Amino acid sequence: MPELPEVETVRLQLMQKVCGKTLDSVEVFHSKTVAHDETIDDRLRGKAISHIDRVGKLLIFSFVNQADLFLLAHLKMTGQFFYIAADGDMVGGGHSLSKTEQLEFPHKHSRAAFHFTDHSTLYFNDMRLFGYTKLASAAEVAVARAGFGPEPIDPEFDCGWFTEKLRRRKTPVKAALLDQTFVAGLGNIYVDEALWRAKIRPMRRAERVTKAEATALCKAAGDVMNESIKVGGTTFQ
């Protein structure tokens, strides 16, 4: 499953490839992936991508001169983005590729294609159909952002706040860290790694973690994700 470092890697890759490009059309291969929105092609045609933001594992595409139009994208378990340039050059990532997976697009797991006016295309693939891309208003984006806690990779992440909040929780410490409303972006792989570095058993009750251990865990969580982002996580590139 793609976690924050994988999603951040995809975001950084796509920022270099699609920002400034204008959409010519949106081709939908499975309506569930676009929230069964029959208007997505009409509403995005002619719009230029201005930026790609991220909160937790949610990607937020914004558009030039469109203050109330956004595209939300979540890879969930098996989602992938692949950008194919007009000359066939490809970059992409998300869910790890198997040795038998096709690299000719579209294929049976391609769910939507965002075609640009320069004849390049951004494909959204998702084998298990848990991921999505959907249009959203500014108000809906604000609601989505409000559902996430702060991220350990944020330079301003407050370890004092983290320690206090963690030690009030009465769940296993791993479960507490996986709660995206508490801290955003930590998934199974990186929670395990952070706990191992901090020498804390995953099933230990969060309320029994000492202040020193919580401080070590705070640092470990940020370190392991930042290190993973530097090497692209487990993302295919």
Side-chain angles (χ1 to χ4, degrees):
M1 178 186 294
E3 298 186 20
L4 187 150
E6 287 74 52
V7 177
E8 178 65 3
T9 299
V10 171
R11 185 187 77 85
L12 294 173
Q13 290 175 334
L14 295 185
M15 282 277 290
Q16 297 176 25
K17 299 296 183 180
V18 304
C19 285
K21 292 187 183 294
T22 300
L23 284 154
D24 182 62
S25 64
V26 179
E27 188 175 9
V28 178
F29 305 116
H30 200 296
S31 63
K32 181 182 177 183
T33 297
V34 297
H36 305 287
D37 185 353
E38 296 181 357
T39 71
I40 191 168
D41 178 39
D42 288 338
R43 293 176 67 188
L44 288 185
R45 188 182 299 127
K47 305 297 190 299
I49 296 175
S50 63
H51 186 66
I52 307 172
D53 201 356
R54 180 192 55 74
V55 56
K57 294 183 279 186
L58 180 68
L59 292 169
I60 305 170
F61 292 72
S62 56
F63 303 92
V64 175
N65 297 325
Q66 299 293 319
D68 202 35
L69 179 65
F70 299 85
L71 179 72
L72 305 181
H74 203 302
L75 303 179
K76 295 292 184 177
M77 288 186 68
T78 58
Q80 301 166 327
F81 269 118
F82 280 91
Y83 172 80
I84 315 296
D87 62 4
D89 188 32
M90 176 177 62
V91 64
H95 179 64
S96 299
L97 284 169
S98 69
K99 292 182 179 179
T100 60
E101 198 153 354
Q102 287 180 265
L103 289 178
E104 295 182 4
F105 300 93
H107 58 60
K108 64 181 180 179
H109 298 317
S110 297
R111 308 306 183 187
F114 299 85
H115 301 293
F116 298 102
T117 55
D118 67 351
H119 305 294
S120 62
T121 299
L122 178 63
Y123 287 96
F124 185 85
N125 302 329
D126 189 9
M127 180 175 64
R128 300 188 68 178
L129 285 169
F130 294 150
Y132 62 82
T133 62
K134 63 180 181 182
L135 297 180
S137 66
E140 289 169 326
V141 170
V143 170
R145 287 184 181 278
F148 290 90
E151 297 184 356
I153 62 171
D154 188 331
E156 297 183 0
F157 188 76
D158 187 342
C159 282
W161 170 90
F162 171 82
T163 297
E164 179 185 351
K165 297 294 184 183
L166 180 68
R167 298 179 72 234
R168 289 183 182 179
R169 292 184 166 245
K170 301 183 184 300
T171 62
V173 63
K174 180 173 179 178
L177 295 177
L178 289 173
D179 180 358
Q180 299 297 294
T181 65
F182 173 38
V183 288
L186 279 168
N188 190 58
I189 295 172
Y190 300 105
V191 166
D192 284 348
E193 178 68 15
L195 287 168
W196 184 84
R197 291 188 182 194
K199 298 180 174 58
I200 300 171
R201 288 185 297 108
M203 297 308 295
R204 188 164 161 201
R205 301 279 289 187
E207 61 188 327
R208 295 177 182 171
V209 173
T210 68
K211 290 183 178 181
E213 288 171 329
T215 299
L217 179 58
C218 177
K219 182 178 185 304
D223 287 349
V224 69
M225 287 203 291
N226 279 317
E227 290 167 18
S228 298
I229 290 168
K230 287 180 182 178
V231 297
T234 58
T235 298
F236 165 80
Q237 299 181 65

